[in-house]
Amino acid sequence: MSGFGAQIWSAPAHQRVLQRIEKSGRRETAHRLRGTLGTVFRYAVRTLRGPLDPTAAPRGALLKVEVTNRPAITDEVELGGLMLAIDEYDGWPTLPEASQPQLPRSGPDRPSATRQQTTIVLATR
């Protein structure tokens, strides 16, 4: 970073970049980038490669990420319908794999006394 970071990455320049990303509708990306850059700059300060962390000054300047909480599916029939819909999805091939529920695993990290029997009832067509 010597000769590169101190002049270009001042707090105002850093904030302009984050606000431009935020204005494009990618609030969460702007927040993640701020965190990642903060980690990099704190490392630079800690290793005496940079004079300061420009991400510390504009904390709170970005708009908060809008979070929409959704209720969990607790009905067995609704869960079965969701699993059938995932199974029948023919779009991107990795999506059905990623969308499968993560069931408790048995093995050396889970003794047999604590194994849980999980039964999933699939809705019929």
Side-chain angles (χ1 to χ4, degrees):
M1 285 183 78
S2 58
F4 175 66
Q7 295 294 330
I8 296 174
W9 284 103
S10 63
H14 173 79
Q15 189 61 29
R16 281 193 299 272
V17 170
L18 293 176
Q19 284 178 340
R20 188 169 45 168
I21 293 170
E22 182 184 49
K23 285 180 184 175
S24 71
R26 297 175 292 167
R27 287 184 188 172
E28 189 170 342
T29 301
H31 281 272
R32 286 183 185 178
L33 180 61
R34 185 195 66 206
T36 302
L37 289 175
T39 301
V40 170
F41 284 113
R42 284 190 301 277
Y43 176 77
V45 170
R46 191 171 55 245
T47 59
L48 303 175
R49 297 178 186 176
L52 65 123
D53 176 10
T55 63
R59 291 256 183 233
L62 295 175
L63 296 174
K64 292 184 179 181
V65 177
E66 293 178 11
V67 177
T68 304
N69 295 319
R70 307 225 184 265
I73 296 177
T74 57
D75 182 34
E76 292 176 349
V77 175
E78 288 182 25
L79 178 62
L82 173 65
M83 292 181 72
L84 282 174
I86 292 170
D87 193 43
E88 293 172 353
Y89 179 77
D90 64 347
W92 196 257
T94 56
L95 189 59
E97 288 291 324
S99 301
Q100 291 295 326
Q102 299 297 313
L103 302 176
R105 290 183 278 171
S106 62
D109 59 332
R110 289 186 179 262
S112 60
T114 61
R115 284 189 188 161
Q116 297 176 356
Q117 294 295 325
T118 305
T119 304
I120 298 175
V121 178
L122 296 177
T124 58
R125 291 186 187 183

